[in-house]
Amino acid sequence: MRKQTSSKRLGLRPVFRSDLSSIPPRNIKSDLSFASLSTQGIEKNLSLFFLLPSLLFALQSSFFLFCSFPCASLFPLVAALPIPFPPISLPLNKAGNTHTHGPTMASIGEILLNTLSPDQQIREAATTQLETAASEDFKQYVVMLCQELSNEQSQARIPAGLALKNALTTREYARRGEMSTRWMIIDATTRDQIKSLVLATLGTPDLRAGVVTAQVVAAIAAIELPVGEWEDVIRLMLQNLQTTDNTNLKQCTLQAIGFVCETIHRDILTAQANNILTAVVQGARKDEPSEAVRLAAISALYNSLEFVEENFKREGERNYIMQVVCEATQSGDVQVQIASFECLVRIMQLYYEHMPFYMQKALFGLTVQGMKHDNERVALQAVEFWSTVCEEEIDIDGARQDAYASGAEPDVVSYNFAKAALPETLPVLLQLMAKQDEDDEEDDWNLSMAAGTCLSLTAQCVGDAIVPPVIQFVEANIRNAEWQFREASVMAFGSILEGPSQELLVPPVAQALPFLIEMMNDPVIKVKDTTAWTLGRVSQSLVECIKPDVHLQPLIEALVRGLEDSNRIVSNCCLSLMNLAEQLEGVNGPDSQTSLMSPFFDGIVTALMQITDRNTNEAFSRTSAYEAISIMVTHSAKDTFPTISALSTTILDRLEQTILVQNQIVGIDERNSHSELQSNICSVLTNIIRRVGKDIAPIADRIMTVMLQLLTAASRHSTILEDAFLAIGALTTALEAEFARYLESFASFLFSALQNHEEYQLCSIAVGLIGDICRGLGPQSAPYCNQFMQTLWQNLQSPILHRNVKPAILSCFGDIALAIEGQFSNYLDVTMGVLAQACNLRAGPADYDMIDYVNQLREGIVDAYVGIVQGLKAGEQSNALLPHVPHVFEFLNTVYNDPERSDNVLRSMIGLIGDLADSFPSGEIKQFLLADWISQCLKEGRSSRQNSVTTKEVARWAKEMVKRATA
């Protein structure tokens, strides 16, 4: 499946929702030039699609003929006869009433209306009644809801439709199977009657009821189509469009088609692509009298684009689709314009390779004109179009580089649309960046932010070509009296720091740095905020421009002053300080006695701690400050350890205080804020422990006491559990064998986390902690290994535990074996059997998620084998491994011959081959080591250009071990 466009940037597409709020939707080579194409005369350029001789083939397309002439049909259809919708009869009980356990027909409407009551008690009571009715007699429940939805006189049609939809579908993946089964066990006759009734209800005069009915249609289709039922639903809805002038029926039918396309997997709908396109393109034509119908059709087209790939390959059909969408961008209805531009975004994303002709003839002019549109939402989608162009071309360039690196010819072509259009798009983007108000919310996605994002992507795409015009804009506006242009110039400058060559960027950045530092004093908060962000980009990508003896002190002073300013500025000031800490750490890394940041360390940490004292976390200021402290500690030099020691005491004081007030917390928001605070404090403590290592020993008892208090007070599903475990893991690594004194009191929490399969991330951290404990304690961990191994084996067999935990479990077997050495022979046979089962997992050729998972699993398997081989060798128990050696080599051969294996897997398996040869130097496994694939594997590891330096070094060592073992 192709990648999705950023939901943060788009955010306008219609979705399958439970509410009814009106949500509008949202081969030419590198010398391609648009200079001759003005953004005027768009209609004339659209007509070019069908004036070229090469497009006459389109006249032979049945799809084109249908779309051009409404009376024609795309494919032979069953005669469009009216569908009878017989009334649904409720089952009668012995007393003759129309109900058994659930609410009566007289009461169902009142109960449904009560679910919308502002009174919480009434609302909850009504919801409980509906849930009871559904559980006692689901068939009767859905029948009553369907009848209420179709009742033109009912006041409860909307809640009835929503309740019906919610009875059939859910966002909770684990419950979908149960809900599908519950629907499918209803007898076919009743299901057919319900389906007929909801299709008929699409034409209701009440448009809101029609829209929720469209959602019900999609919910039923999502259950039945995947199992081969209701296969004529698209055909039946197509008949609705062909046989009626009812605008509501057309609109709601098209919305239903769109919802179906959105909720059902593309493979299921591909066979119906022609019928779907027939319906939506007919509704989207410019001669459709109803703009509401046209909007619904364009929205449905958007949702169908992913599975009409075959139609897009056919020139005639592609031409007509593009004409309809492009003409819709010129609609007089703004909502249609928004939806059509969004379609163009999606088309560019999915079908870039087919776009050169359309870019040259229409899309360039349409989208540049669209960016200048008075309506911001139209302009947003036009800007998004160019962001998508850049993303596609960045991806293509990456794919081409990967192909060249592996010695292959690239199979993708970039048409360099972004570079060709730069003279026209760049000035518009720069002007749009200045379109903002002081009252704009920071998190609102507006035109200025969209233009800045597009500019950043353009810089990554076109490289050096963007620098001169942007620098010219910056120089002209950085001292502009209007703050919007000052902010836009700083944003533009920061946005082009990734993409162009450093040689070209260094001179202007070095020249601009004093001005940027000065602009941290600008009277407008937004200008200061953007300046702090830009300084962060400079410190991350071009730190060489920061001369320590000239710029560093005024830069840090400006950022620390920014910490005292508005909460909005704090996050970007923290980001800049984090980047400086990372980029300017000592020359010897963690072993450095001092660094360029050491003289400022105490002052920066003090200022950040003052931020963390605030009672509010507005704009994530407090969280950002704690994160900055963590990074400062992580990259600190040894001469800052006295400050870190004092900091650790303060951090522990704060953590203890949060535990004391924990029982006083009321309200979900306050509790979430408290949990986040504890998490931030734990994160700082974890990084302190990691940085100072064994020097943490004097306060280790206090740390462990606080951690155990946290674990005792936390609920089973609390997020603080993960943070506490990470801190304990760091303490285990720092103390090594000294951690043994805490293990007995901590063990119950550890095993509880290992058995908490619902919170799989916590379980994964707990698995890693077993490895930390075993590595730290060595043979002293043996008394706990029986329970460790039993729990890990059980976790591997769990159908509930997330699969991503299982590679870590396999790797943990190796950690345990390394720790207890020869004593691992007690667990050897069972463990090797478990590993043998894991070895059998394979991935399909196009299942990329599964390919990634299988590679992760294989890394875990090899890590386990390595630990077992080395552990048994250290305990002089290598011979216990001999019965399992044939299977190990069979597995390694399978992995080597898998073209999808990763570099990490190759390096690990080469290391394992070396370890096996080292464990059996007297020829015990000589016949396996002499296999042809072994020498090929080691040669590839040493010589392939794709392999890392580490892989090559491991391969050289393994070669020597094999040579010795086969001599």
Side-chain angles (χ1 to χ4, degrees), residues 477-503:
N477 291 282
I478 199 165
R479 296 190 182 279
N480 196 304
E482 296 184 36
W483 71 264
Q484 290 91 341
F485 283 92
R486 294 199 305 276
E487 196 273 345
S489 65
V490 178
M491 174 66 78
F493 191 76
S495 296
I496 65 167
L497 297 184
E498 182 181 355
S501 62
Q502 288 202 341
E503 293 77 10

Side-chain angles (χ1 to χ4, degrees), residues 5 39 53 144 230 321 323 342 393 417 463 531 667 720 725 764 821 864 868 874:
T5 305
T39 57
M144 286 192 297
W230 211 17
I321 294 170
Q323 183 190 23
E342 190 182 31
E393 295 187 343
F417 296 142
T531 302
I720 196 61
F725 270 66
S764 182
E821 299 178 348
I868 292 169

Side-chain angles (χ1 to χ4, degrees), residues 32-38 356 359-361 364 386 416-417 420-421 424:
L32 173 67
S33 172
F34 297 109
S36 61
L37 181 62
S38 152
M359 287 292 288
Q360 191 173 28
K361 296 301 181 183
F364 166 75
W386 285 102
N416 297 311
F417 296 142
E424 296 292 333

Side-chain angles (χ1 to χ4, degrees), residues 879-935:
N879 286 340
L881 194 61
L882 281 172
H884 305 285
V885 165
H887 183 271
V888 174
F889 276 95
E890 181 184 348
F891 164 70
L892 292 176
N893 188 16
T894 299
V895 174
Y896 176 68
N897 288 300
D898 186 348
E900 300 292 349
R901 58 175 160 75
S902 65
D903 179 56
N904 286 342
V905 170
L906 179 65
R907 179 172 62 249
S908 297
M909 65 177 286
I910 290 174
L912 176 57
I913 291 170
D915 286 330
L916 286 165
D918 186 37
S919 295
F920 299 101
S922 303
E924 295 95 331
I925 60 170
K926 181 176 181 179
Q927 70 273 30
F928 299 107
L929 296 173
L930 289 175
D932 291 341
W933 72 268
I934 294 284
S935 58

Side-chain angles (χ1 to χ4, degrees), residues 504-706:
L504 187 61
L505 286 173
V506 166
V509 170
Q511 183 181 356
L513 197 53
F515 293 98
L516 292 173
I517 294 173
E518 179 186 341
M519 290 188 74
M520 285 297 294
N521 297 316
D522 195 281
V524 178
I525 289 177
K526 287 194 174 185
V527 176
K528 286 188 285 189
D529 187 32
T530 301
T531 302
W533 172 80
T534 300
L535 289 171
R537 298 268 288 180
V538 171
S539 58
Q540 180 183 36
S541 305
L542 293 162
V543 71
E544 60 269 29
C545 295
I546 301 173
K547 298 178 181 178
D549 55 339
V550 177
H551 301 130
L552 191 56
Q553 182 166 340
L555 172 58
I556 290 176
E557 288 175 351
L559 294 172
V560 170
R561 282 197 307 273
L563 295 176
E564 301 169 0
D565 211 314
S566 164
N567 285 323
R568 176 171 179 164
I569 301 175
V570 168
S571 292
N572 279 322
C573 289
C574 288
L575 175 64
S576 296
L577 291 169
M578 287 189 284
N579 289 337
L580 288 171
E582 291 174 345
Q583 297 295 326
L584 299 178
E585 71 175 349
V587 292
N588 296 320
D591 296 325
S592 302
Q593 290 299 319
T594 190
S595 73
L596 291 171
M597 293 294 289
S598 289
F600 310 102
F601 186 87
D602 186 70
I604 292 172
V605 169
T606 299
L608 291 169
M609 287 296 286
Q610 290 173 354
I611 300 296
T612 63
D613 275 336
R614 297 177 183 176
N615 291 326
T616 176
N617 193 27
E618 182 184 346
F620 301 103
S621 56
R622 188 173 64 192
T623 297
S624 298
Y626 274 119
E627 184 180 359
I629 293 170
S630 292
I631 297 298
M632 292 289 297
V633 168
T634 299
H635 296 280
S636 62
K638 291 185 176 180
D639 59 354
T640 65
F641 277 19
T643 301
I644 294 176
S645 177
L647 175 65
S648 64
T649 302
T650 305
I651 288 295
L652 277 173
D653 289 343
R654 291 191 178 185
L655 195 52
E656 288 170 340
Q657 183 62 31
T658 66
I659 296 172
L660 290 175
V661 302
Q662 192 154 314
N663 292 330
Q664 302 171 22
I665 303 298
V666 293
I668 186 65
D669 291 339
E670 191 175 349
R671 187 165 298 281
N672 288 339
S673 178
H674 187 75
S675 295
E676 184 179 36
L677 176 60
Q678 286 185 326
S679 177
N680 292 332
I681 297 173
C682 276
S683 179
V684 173
L685 182 60
T686 299
N687 282 282
I688 289 173
I689 297 169
R690 289 171 177 168
R691 181 67 190 99
V692 303
K694 290 186 177 182
D695 291 345
I696 203 69
I699 60 171
D701 286 353
R702 186 181 176 194
I703 291 174
M704 200 62 197
T705 299
V706 174

Side-chain angles (χ1 to χ4, degrees), residues 822-838:
Q823 296 178 72
F824 192 80
S825 59
N826 297 326
Y827 315 110
L828 183 63
D829 289 341
V830 175
T831 302
M832 295 302 284
V834 168
L835 293 173
Q837 290 179 0

Side-chain angles (χ1 to χ4, degrees), residues 177-455:
E178 170 195 341
M179 299 179 82
S180 297
T181 301
R182 190 169 61 168
W183 166 258
M184 292 304 296
I185 60 176
I186 296 175
D187 62 276
T189 301
T190 301
R191 283 190 287 115
D192 288 343
Q193 289 177 328
I194 292 174
K195 289 182 290 188
S196 296
L197 194 53
V198 294
L199 285 177
T201 307
L202 289 171
T204 176
D206 184 345
L207 184 58
R208 286 170 58 84
V211 172
V212 76
T213 302
Q215 297 180 1
V216 174
V217 170
I220 298 173
I223 295 173
E224 296 208 356
L225 282 176
V227 295
E229 298 286 341
W230 211 17
E231 293 181 327
D232 60 347
V233 60
I234 299 297
R235 178 184 62 80
L236 294 173
M237 288 194 285
L238 184 60
Q239 288 177 340
N240 279 354
L241 298 173
Q242 291 176 317
T243 59
T244 184
D245 293 325
N246 182 335
T247 298
N248 280 10
L249 178 57
K250 285 184 177 181
Q251 181 179 346
C252 294
T253 298
L254 287 165
Q255 286 185 325
I257 292 173
F259 291 147
V260 168
C261 294
E262 185 182 17
T263 56
I264 296 177
H265 194 277
R266 56 173 293 177
D267 292 345
I268 298 171
L269 292 176
T270 298
Q272 308 215 40
N274 290 314
N275 283 343
I276 292 171
L277 273 179
T278 298
V280 299
V281 174
Q282 183 184 20
R285 293 176 307 168
K286 67 179 181 180
D287 54 357
E288 167 58 51
S290 169
E291 291 296 340
V293 170
R294 202 175 180 196
L295 174 60
I298 292 288
S299 300
L301 177 61
Y302 178 99
N303 287 326
S304 69
L305 285 171
E306 191 169 332
F307 58 82
V308 296
E309 186 173 358
E310 291 302 315
N311 302 86
F312 251 84
K313 289 178 181 178
R314 294 190 281 271
E315 185 181 21
E317 298 179 25
R318 182 173 70 245
N319 288 333
Y320 196 81
I321 294 170
M322 292 301 297
Q323 183 190 23
V324 166
V325 177
C326 289
E327 287 176 345
T329 65
Q330 305 304 298
S331 166
D333 187 289
V334 169
Q335 302 303 327
V336 174
Q337 291 181 50
I338 294 169
S340 57
F341 272 112
E342 190 182 31
C343 264
L344 291 179
V345 171
R346 188 66 172 144
I347 288 169
M348 177 59 70
Q349 190 180 58
L350 294 172
Y351 303 113
Y352 174 92
E353 66 274 18
H354 296 302
M355 290 298 106
F357 172 76
Y358 310 105
M359 287 292 288
Q360 191 173 28
K361 296 301 181 183
L363 297 185
F364 166 75
L366 286 174
T367 52
V368 172
Q369 183 187 57
M371 288 196 293
K372 301 174 183 178
H373 200 285
D374 292 338
N375 185 286
E376 181 173 354
R377 295 174 67 195
V378 175
L380 274 171
Q381 289 303 315
V383 171
E384 178 66 25
F385 177 86
W386 285 102
S387 292
T388 302
V389 169
C390 293
E391 286 179 329
E392 291 300 313
E393 295 187 343
I394 290 168
D395 287 349
I396 290 171
D397 184 60
R400 290 173 64 83
Q401 291 180 18
D402 290 345
Y404 286 133
S406 62
E409 277 298 313
D411 59 356
V412 288
V413 176
S414 174
Y415 298 108
N416 297 311
F417 296 142
K419 191 171 185 177
L422 190 65
E424 296 292 333
T425 57
L426 182 57
V428 179
L429 290 174
L430 293 173
Q431 291 301 312
L432 290 178
M433 289 172 67
K435 287 195 171 185
Q436 53 180 315
D437 297 320
E438 280 192 272
D439 296 333
D440 287 343
E441 293 293 331
E442 185 179 10
D443 293 332
D444 287 348
W445 185 248
N446 56 38
L447 200 49
S448 174
M449 295 175 68
T453 300
C454 187
L455 179 64

